[in-house]
């Protein structure tokens, strides 16, 4: 029987059938090995193989390779097929090369030469095969070899349209590999003008290429805007009968329309009024066509039509300059919210989220609030419900915040577990962002904890505590509300944390009511104690010691708890240490010292909320365009939610409770910001690991974050790593307590108190292996002085002597006594000697931060004295053994120039200069 000729390749069909009929893997391998041996013998022994037979055997090799077997011969025969003039043989040769030939092969030169020959062919089929092979391989070697030929082929007037299409797409593939392949200069204009080509296929391919080029160099290709608008206008205004070859279910050239609209989104609205007007006409026409009855009931028609519509709406949102178009787009999307097609509802909700952030369409979006709320309650698809939550979040403002937050809280009780955490973050953000009455904010957060406590992250309850501490008007209400919430039989642990903190600070505000008497508060909190984790128990122990200061009448009951074996002999080192230290503190210290150590927490430094950053990280859907819209919302609202903090490199440490009111529990690999401001700023990443375990801040840093890290101590010998050593000496000018020095093996803390010319400084030494040691230093100010006393610390580590040369934080201002006076007295004394410094601000010029530093400096801040309300004036007296030195201060911030002018007048000239030098370093 003669061999079957033609493209059927019966031998290949029989081989494939044999493989499919194999009953086992072994039978398949045996059949393949037999065929490989046959092909190898044919290639080696039969020199008279014609093109058909070579093609058949190469096809078999290709099929065997696709089955997962290695092919180590036949490459030369495939290369020989490239020189054939028959399409099928050349096609199989190119296919084999694209799949099996490595770019490092010795045959690559022969292949490149064959491709060059086909690129120069007059047969467009051969040229297309060569271009497809180049694109399929897409290597840097191919880009280098044909980088000059393909652009010429693309812009040549003699090139056929079908070849131009392939050339444009091949060039796009090579551009993604090597961006230098596209020539500049005059080539730019010639490539752009392909948008004017008569052939729609060429325009479609060129549009993809130009969009990629625009992403790399938008300025060079900005001339494409007018041509893209012109081409889009011709398509939009054309009837489906005008572009029959490129009409898809009665929609003219939908793919090209979408590509052109996406291309235009890389540029701002056209500056040329004519081009801009023409573009707006196109968009208006697309919106009008969306309102027309469908020309077909088939889903392909609606898909193509809606694809163009949604891309048009995207460019309307991108431009954000045409109120009429934005409102029309919103109304069109509003119709889709009730569409029976789930995908359309999803896309409508997603797109309206962006429209909601435009000042022109925000009100139009709010009109659909009820529809969106209904979708949240009735949608079957969880992804659509997720988009409904996103839209409610985006459309929220001061006028509808309470209603939207309440609806989200109601839905949260039955919400899918996959979206609860994100919903909690959004509710927390909205409540803080639009709270006109912070009692409402407290209610919302406590409801969040009650409804979805497992999904309330630490950032949320840190934030509510920060806000309550900073706002006196809400502290009593917060204490009352959290007390009532704790009375519930089933109380989430996060509620216990918030309740413990707030009652420890402000429980005295509700203690007058017999229903919330001190003993009732204590018993209520302690009833939750044994149900909580170690971190929460540690916080509650701090609450108990605060209660001793607030309510001395229950001191004995609290001491009994601290003495219990479950605390003093706890397996948790943190609980054991707290119970021991707090018990010792309550037994041995006087009432005055106890009141000083356990005084109410000062207001936290106002800082931006990090909840928004956590939300974006959780959702992972915040595009660059959405981020831009978020910024626009903030500008419109004035005091909208602040931008997310850059907290990726934040390193949180655990704190000892020695004088910090409530330490933050250590977070596992947390990247969230320290919302309560309790942590000491990390020195370097090298220091992070050394701050775990028992080595904790002996005192904590109450102002967590401010100040400059300076190194005035000598490091240890080279045998011990002192990476990450932190000397905080400058911070102590405006504070009395904190960490003075810290490195990998030791931490030195300071706690000091002063009265007139006398002072006492407690120095605490801590490491990983023992409890902190304490050393007391008594001091007296004999006369005004400059500089700081030396502190030499010697110890042994690893049998190697170590020595640190530090300074004791005793500066002249520590012996201040704040003095109050009226304006007349102040200016009467202002005539004394003065010292003045003008210096550049090194940090944010925030009112709260400036006041905190001036009060920490030890002077009395005088309100309403200076005619300029932006200025700060202070007064104090320095007590020495022999005299009293009166001091007046005036600080004038210039926020535009980011400069300060500091003037200090004192009854002793040298004192004024010393104080000016000390304080200037703090700003």
């Amino acid at each position: 029987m003669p061999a079957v000729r033609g493209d059927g390749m019966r031998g290949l069909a029989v081989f494939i059938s044999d493989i499919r009929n194999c009953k086992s893997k072994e039978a398949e391998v045996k059949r393949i090995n037999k065929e490989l041996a046959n092909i190898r013998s044919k290639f080696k022994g039969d020199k008279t193989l014609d093109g058909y037979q070579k093609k058949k055997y190469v096809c078999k090799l290709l099929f065997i390779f696709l089955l997962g077997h290695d092919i180590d011969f036949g490459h030369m025969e495939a290369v020989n097929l490239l020189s054939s003039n028959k399409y099928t043989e050349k096609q199989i040769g190119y296919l084999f090369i694209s799949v099996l030939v490595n770019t490092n092969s010795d045959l690559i030169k022969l292949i490149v030469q064959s491709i060059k020959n086909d690129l120069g062919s007059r047969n467009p089929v051969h040229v297309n095969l060569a271009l497809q092979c180049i694109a399929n391989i897409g290597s840097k070697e191919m880009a280098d070899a044909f980088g000059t030929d393909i652009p010429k082929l693309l812009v040549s007037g003699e090139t056929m349209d079908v070849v131009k299409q392939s050339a444009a797409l091949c060039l796009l593939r090579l551009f993604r590999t090597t961006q230098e392949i596209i020539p500049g200069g005059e080539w730019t204009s010639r490539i752009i003008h392909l948008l004017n080509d008569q052939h729609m296929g060429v325009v479609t391919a060129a549009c993809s290429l130009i969009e990629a080029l625009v992403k790399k160099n938008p300025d060079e290709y900005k001339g494409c805007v007018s041509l893209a608008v012109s081409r889009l206008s011709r398509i939009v205004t054309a009837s489906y009968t005008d572009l029959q070859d490129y009409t898809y279910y009665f929609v003219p050239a939908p793919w090209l329309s979408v590509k052109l609209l996406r291309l235009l989104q890389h540029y701002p609205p056209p500056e040329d009024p004519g081009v801009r007007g023409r573009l707006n006409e196109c968009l208006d026409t697309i919106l009008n066509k969306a309102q027309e009855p469908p020309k077909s009931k088939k889903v392909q028609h609606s898909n193509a039509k809606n694809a163009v519509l949604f891309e048009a709406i995207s460019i309307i949102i991108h431009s954000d300059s045409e109120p009429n178009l934005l409102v029309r787009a919103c109304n069109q999307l509003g119709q889709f919210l009730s569409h029976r097609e789930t995908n359309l509802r999803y896309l409508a909700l997603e797109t309206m989220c962006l429209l909601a952030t435009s000042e022109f369409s925000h009100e139009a979006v709010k009109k659909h609030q009820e529809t969106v709320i209904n979708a949240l309650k009735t949608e079957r698809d969880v992804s659509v419900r997720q988009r409904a939550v996103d839209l409610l979040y985006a459309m929220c403002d001061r006028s509808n915040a309470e209603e939207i937050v309440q609806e989200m809280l109601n839905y949260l009780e039955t919400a899918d577990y996959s979206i609860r955490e994100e919903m909690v973050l959004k509710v927390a953000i909205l409540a803080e962002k639009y709270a006109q009455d912070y009692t409402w904010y407290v209610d919302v957060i406590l409801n969040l904890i009650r409804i979805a406590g497992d999904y309330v992250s630490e950032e949320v309850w840190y934030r509510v505590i920060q806000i309550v501490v900073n706002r006196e008007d809400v502290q009593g209400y917060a204490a009352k509300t959290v007390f009532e919430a704790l009375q519930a039989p089933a109380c989430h642990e996060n509620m216990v944390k918030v309740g413990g903190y707030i009652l420890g600070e402000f429980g005295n505000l509700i203690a007058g009511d017999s229903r919330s008497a001190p003993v009732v508060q204590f018993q209520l909190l302690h009833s939750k104690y044994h149900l909580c984790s170690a971190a929460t128990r540690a916080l509650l122990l701090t609450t108990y010691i605060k209660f001793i200061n607030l309510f001395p009448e229950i001191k004995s009951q609290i001491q009994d708890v601290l003495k219990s074996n479950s605390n003093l002999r706890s397996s948790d080192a943190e609980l054991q240490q707290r119970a021991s230290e707090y018990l010792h503190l309550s037994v041995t210290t006087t009432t005055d010292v106890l009141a000083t150590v356990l005084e109410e927490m000062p207001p936290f430094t106002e800082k931006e909320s990090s909840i928004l950053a956590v939300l974006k990280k959780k959702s992972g859907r915040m595009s660059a365009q959405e981020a831009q819209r978020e910024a626009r919302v903030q500008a419109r609202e004035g005091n909208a939610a602040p931008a997310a903090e850059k907290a990726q490199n934040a390193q949180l440490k655990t704190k000892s409770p020695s004088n910090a009111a409530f330490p933050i529990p250590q977070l596992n690999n947390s990247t969230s910001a320290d919302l309560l401001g309790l942590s000491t700023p990390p020195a370097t990443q090298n220091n992070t690991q050394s701050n775990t375990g028992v080595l904790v801040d002996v005192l904590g840093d109450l102002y967590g974050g401010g100040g400059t890290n300076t190194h005035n101590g000598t490091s240890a010998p080279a045998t011990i790593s002192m990476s990450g050593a932190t000397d905080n000496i400058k911070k102590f000018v405006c504070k009395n307590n904190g960490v003075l020095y810290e490195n990998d093996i030791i931490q030195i803390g300071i706690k000091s108190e002063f009265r007139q010319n006398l002072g006492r400084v407690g120095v605490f030494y801590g490491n990983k292996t023992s409890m902190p040691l304490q050393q007391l230093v008594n001091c007296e100010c004999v006369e005004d002085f400059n500089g700081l006393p030396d502190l030499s610390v010697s110890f042994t580590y690893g049998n190697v002597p170590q020595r640190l040369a530090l300074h004791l934080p005793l500066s002249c201002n520590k012996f201040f006594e704040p003095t109050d006076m009226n304006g007349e007295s102040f200016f009467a004394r202002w005539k004394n000697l003065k010292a003045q410094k003008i210096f550049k601000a090194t940090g944010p010029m925030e009112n709260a931060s400036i006041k905190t530093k001036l009060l920490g400096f030890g002077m009395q801040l005088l309100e309403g004295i200076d005619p300029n309300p932006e200025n700060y004036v202070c007064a104090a007296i320095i007590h020495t053994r022999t005299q009293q030195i009166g001091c007046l201060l005036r600080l004038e911030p210039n926020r535009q120039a980011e400069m300060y002018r500091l003037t200090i007048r004192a009854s002793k000239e040298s004192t004024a200069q010393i104080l000016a030098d000390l304080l200037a370093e703090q700003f």
Side-chain angles (χ1 to χ4, degrees):
M1 182 177 177
V4 178
R5 295 287 174 171
D7 292 339
M9 291 189 288
R10 182 178 176 184
L12 176 63
V14 171
F15 174 64
I16 293 175
S17 178
D18 290 347
I19 293 295
R20 289 177 176 174
N21 291 330
C22 289
K23 302 298 183 182
S24 64
K25 182 67 176 177
E26 292 77 12
E28 177 183 313
V29 171
K30 183 178 179 180
R31 179 67 182 89
I32 288 174
N33 288 336
K34 179 182 177 182
E35 190 64 39
L36 287 174
N38 177 56
I39 296 172
R40 194 186 299 271
S41 64
K42 290 289 184 181
F43 283 166
K44 285 187 177 180
D46 193 349
K47 303 297 183 183
T48 62
L49 286 178
D50 58 12
Y52 166 78
Q53 290 174 317
K54 287 182 181 179
K55 177 185 71 171
K56 179 179 66 175
Y57 292 134
V58 167
C59 272
K60 288 183 178 181
L61 291 176
L62 189 57
F63 179 72
I64 292 171
F65 174 77
L66 295 177
L67 290 176
H69 299 269
D70 292 333
I71 300 298
D72 56 2
F73 69 97
H75 299 77
M76 191 63 199
E77 283 71 17
V79 173
N80 291 337
L81 287 176
L82 299 183
S83 58
S84 172
N85 287 323
K86 291 185 177 180
Y87 169 76
T88 55
E89 294 175 7
K90 191 182 289 289
Q91 179 194 36
I92 295 301
Y94 274 124
L95 182 59
F96 186 93
I97 288 167
S98 300
V99 174
L100 277 154
V101 174
N102 191 297
T103 54
N104 298 324
S105 171
D106 296 335
L107 297 175
I108 199 69
K109 291 184 179 180
L110 291 174
I111 296 171
V112 168
Q113 186 57 50
S114 296
I115 293 175
K116 280 186 178 290
N117 294 338
D118 283 338
L119 285 180
S121 171
R122 291 184 175 274
N123 188 336
V125 175
H126 293 177
V127 179
N128 271 347
L129 283 174
L131 290 170
Q132 289 168 12
C133 179
I134 296 170
N136 284 337
I137 297 175
S139 63
K140 189 176 186 303
E141 291 76 10
M142 286 293 176
D144 294 338
F146 304 105
T148 57
D149 298 330
I150 299 176
K152 291 178 182 178
L153 203 61
L154 177 61
V155 300
S156 172
E158 300 178 358
T159 306
M160 296 181 64
D161 293 334
V162 67
V163 175
K164 281 187 178 181
Q165 283 180 257
S166 297
L169 296 176
C170 180
L171 198 58
L172 173 61
R173 174 68 177 85
L174 296 180
F175 174 74
R176 289 170 178 167
T177 303
T178 308
Q179 296 193 350
E180 294 74 22
I181 189 175
I182 306 294
E186 61 176 293
W187 288 95
T188 301
S189 176
R190 299 176 73 176
I191 291 175
I192 288 174
H193 275 81
L194 289 172
L195 293 175
N196 265 340
D197 198 278
Q198 296 297 319
H199 193 273
M200 296 290 283
V202 174
V203 179
T204 304
C207 195
S208 297
L209 173 63
I210 293 171
E211 184 180 4
L213 297 173
V214 164
K215 289 178 182 178
K216 180 193 175 189
N217 195 344
D219 292 335
E220 186 175 354
Y221 289 89
K222 62 183 178 181
C224 70
V225 173
S226 58
L227 296 178
V229 171
S230 175
R231 173 63 75 173
L232 180 65
S233 176
R234 279 179 274 169
I235 296 172
V236 169
T237 57
S239 169
Y240 68 90
T241 57
D242 298 336
L243 300 171
Q244 287 187 354
D245 292 340
Y246 288 90
T247 295
Y248 180 77
Y249 287 89
F250 303 100
V251 181
W255 285 277
L256 179 55
S257 299
V258 168
K259 286 178 182 290
L260 291 170
L261 288 166
R262 286 184 180 172
L263 176 61
L264 292 171
Q265 290 177 53
H266 292 285
Y267 293 96
E271 297 179 358
D272 187 331
V275 176
R276 187 168 185 169
R278 197 170 184 182
L279 174 60
N280 289 340
E281 288 176 7
C282 292
L283 299 174
D284 193 65
T285 303
I286 293 172
L287 292 175
N288 288 336
K289 286 186 175 182
Q291 299 291 333
E292 297 175 358
K295 294 182 173 63
S296 172
K297 294 183 179 180
K298 294 187 176 181
V299 68
Q300 292 92 334
H301 170 71
S302 60
N303 284 347
K305 185 177 177 181
N306 291 329
V308 178
L309 173 64
F310 275 99
E311 210 59 54
I313 293 175
S314 293
I315 196 172
I316 291 172
I317 296 172
H318 169 75
S319 300
D320 196 27
S321 57
E322 300 295 331
N324 181 49
L325 290 176
L326 285 163
V327 172
R328 288 196 60 193
C330 180
N331 294 335
Q332 179 61 51
L333 292 172
Q335 297 177 18
F336 288 152
L337 293 179
S338 304
H339 200 278
R340 60 184 178 85
E341 176 60 42
T342 303
N343 290 336
L344 270 183
R345 297 197 300 275
Y346 179 95
L347 290 172
L349 289 166
E350 186 176 52
T351 309
M352 287 183 79
C353 288
L354 299 178
L355 277 173
T357 58
S358 169
E359 59 181 323
F360 301 116
S361 57
H362 183 76
E363 292 300 321
V365 172
K366 285 169 58 179
K367 294 178 181 178
H368 302 283
Q369 179 177 320
E370 292 302 322
T371 306
V372 179
I373 292 174
N374 185 59
L376 183 65
K377 297 176 180 177
T378 60
E379 274 291 346
R380 294 183 180 180
D381 192 317
V382 64
S383 63
V384 180
R385 295 197 295 273
Q386 173 70 70
R387 297 289 80 75
V389 171
D390 293 343
L391 181 53
L392 286 174
Y393 174 75
M395 71 167 61
C396 188
D397 60 19
R398 295 195 180 281
S399 65
N400 60 3
E402 292 192 16
E403 182 181 355
I404 286 179
V405 167
Q406 188 58 49
E407 289 290 349
M408 293 176 76
L409 282 173
N410 293 340
Y411 175 67
L412 191 57
E413 297 190 32
T414 57
D416 299 84
Y417 294 111
S418 59
I419 64 174
R420 282 194 179 188
E421 185 173 3
E422 189 174 330
M423 281 193 69
V424 166
L425 291 171
K426 287 182 175 178
V427 170
I429 290 170
L430 293 178
E432 180 184 347
K433 187 176 181 181
Y434 299 116
Q436 299 182 25
D437 178 2
Y438 275 95
T439 59
W440 173 72
Y441 169 76
V442 171
D443 288 338
V444 169
I445 300 301
L446 294 184
N447 270 332
L448 270 183
I449 297 174
R450 179 183 58 81
I451 295 170
D454 290 337
Y455 300 90
V456 175
S457 63
E458 290 177 321
E459 290 81 10
V460 175
W461 73 265
Y462 288 174
R463 189 64 177 170
V464 70
I465 287 174
Q466 180 183 359
I467 288 175
V468 169
V469 170
N470 285 9
R471 289 172 172 81
E472 292 185 5
D473 57 322
V474 79
Q475 290 167 358
Y477 179 81
K480 178 183 177 183
T481 307
V482 78
F483 175 79
E484 294 171 352
L486 286 172
Q487 292 176 342
C491 188
H492 195 274
E493 188 168 340
N494 281 335
M495 186 72 79
V496 178
K497 293 176 183 177
V498 175
Y501 196 111
I502 292 179
L503 291 179
E505 292 293 328
F506 312 113
N508 59 307
L509 300 179
I510 61 172
D513 190 336
S514 59
R515 293 170 296 178
S516 55
V519 66
V520 177
Q521 294 184 38
F522 170 67
Q523 290 173 351
L524 179 61
L525 281 175
H526 196 56
S527 67
K528 317 290 184 183
Y529 184 83
H530 300 289
L531 304 174
C532 297
S533 64
T536 306
R537 291 184 187 185
L539 187 147
L540 289 178
L541 288 180
T542 306
T543 300
Y544 298 164
I545 191 67
K546 298 282 280 191
F547 275 172
I548 290 179
N549 180 48
L550 293 176
F551 315 122
E553 63 270 24
I554 61 172
K555 179 177 180 179
S556 59
Q557 297 182 46
I558 294 175
Q559 286 177 337
D560 290 341
V561 170
L562 296 176
K563 291 176 184 177
S564 65
N565 288 338
S566 61
N567 290 322
L568 279 182
R569 298 183 180 180
S570 171
S571 59
D572 186 279
E574 178 71 16
L575 288 178
Q576 186 182 116
Q577 181 179 351
R578 289 190 186 220
S580 175
E581 290 183 356
Y582 290 164
L583 180 61
H584 190 68
L585 183 67
S586 66
V587 171
T588 61
T589 56
T590 64
T591 305
D592 291 341
V593 173
L594 194 64
T596 303
V597 174
L598 302 174
E599 63 184 353
E600 184 179 307
M601 282 291 291
F604 296 109
T605 304
E606 290 293 339
K607 57 174 69 175
E608 298 173 341
S609 172
S610 69
I611 305 178
L612 188 60
V614 178
L615 172 63
K616 291 179 180 179
K617 182 180 177 183
K618 292 287 184 188
S619 64
R621 291 186 302 273
M622 184 63 69
S623 65
Q625 190 179 59
E626 287 176 280
Q628 182 181 3
R629 296 292 178 259
E630 183 67 27
R632 191 172 291 152
V633 171
Q634 294 171 17
R636 185 178 77 243
E637 292 293 340
N639 61 346
E645 292 179 347
K646 305 292 185 182
Q648 279 72 13
N649 295 321
Q651 308 285 340
L652 294 185
K653 303 178 183 178
T654 56
K655 300 292 155 197
S656 166
S658 297
N659 82 326
F662 290 89
I664 295 182
Q666 184 175 7
L667 304 182
N668 295 326
N669 300 324
S670 175
T671 57
S672 59
D674 175 15
L675 293 177
L676 294 182
L678 292 175
S679 67
T680 309
T684 63
Q685 288 186 345
N686 296 335
N687 192 27
T688 304
Q689 296 302 323
S690 67
N691 292 321
T692 59
V694 184
L695 178 60
V696 294
D697 286 352
V698 178
L699 291 162
D701 183 354
L702 297 181
Y703 300 103
T708 306
N709 293 339
T710 59
H711 299 266
N712 73 352
T714 59
S715 60
T719 55
I720 300 298
S721 171
M722 287 298 178
S723 60
T726 305
D727 186 352
N728 300 314
I729 188 67
K730 286 189 178 180
K731 288 186 178 181
F732 285 88
V733 172
C734 291
K735 59 187 289 189
N736 292 334
N737 308 324
V739 177
L740 174 65
Y741 181 85
E742 182 177 14
N743 63 22
D744 289 350
I745 57 178
I746 191 170
Q747 184 184 71
I748 302 175
I750 296 292
K751 178 176 175 58
S752 53
E753 56 181 349
F754 300 90
R755 186 169 299 167
Q756 295 187 353
N757 64 316
L758 301 177
R760 182 169 62 179
V761 180
V763 186
F764 296 82
Y765 306 92
N767 60 20
K768 288 186 175 181
T769 59
S770 64
M771 299 295 288
L773 302 176
Q774 180 180 359
Q775 179 183 21
L776 290 179
V777 179
N778 294 319
C779 53
E780 179 182 9
C781 181
V782 179
E783 60 181 12
D784 64 317
F785 59 95
N786 197 1
L788 302 173
D790 292 333
L791 174 64
S792 179
V793 181
S794 300
F795 60 96
T796 301
Y797 177 76
N799 296 324
V800 179
Q802 308 293 325
R803 182 177 179 276
L804 297 174
L806 306 173
H807 291 298
L808 201 62
L810 275 176
S811 50
C812 193
N813 65 296
K814 297 299 180 184
F815 302 95
F816 267 139
E817 180 185 357
T819 303
D820 199 3
M821 61 179 66
N822 57 29
E824 183 179 350
S825 301
F826 181 88
F827 288 109
R829 292 171 170 79
W830 190 246
K831 300 176 182 179
N832 290 318
L833 299 172
K834 71 174 181 179
Q836 189 173 89
K837 293 182 77 73
I838 299 176
F839 51 92
K840 185 77 173 176
T842 58
M845 303 178 71
E846 299 175 349
N847 290 335
S849 176
I850 295 173
K851 288 183 179 180
T852 299
K853 290 179 179 177
L854 291 175
L855 291 173
F857 194 60
M859 304 188 78
Q860 177 70 43
L861 189 61
L862 305 177
E863 303 285 353
I865 299 296
D866 197 291
N868 185 350
E870 294 294 318
N871 296 341
Y872 301 87
V873 293
C874 303
I877 297 173
I878 291 181
H879 290 269
T880 71
R881 179 188 295 177
T882 56
Q883 66 179 130
Q884 296 181 358
I885 305 171
C887 303
L888 303 177
L889 175 149
R890 186 185 195 189
L891 181 66
E892 301 169 82
N894 185 337
R895 288 178 170 80
Q896 292 181 345
E898 295 186 352
M899 302 283 288
Y900 288 100
R901 181 166 66 184
L902 172 65
T903 306
I904 295 182
R905 298 177 183 261
S907 56
K908 189 174 181 180
E909 182 177 5
S910 59
T911 303
Q913 190 61 51
I914 291 170
L915 295 175
D917 293 339
L918 278 174
L919 189 57
E921 292 181 346
Q922 303 302 308
F923 295 97

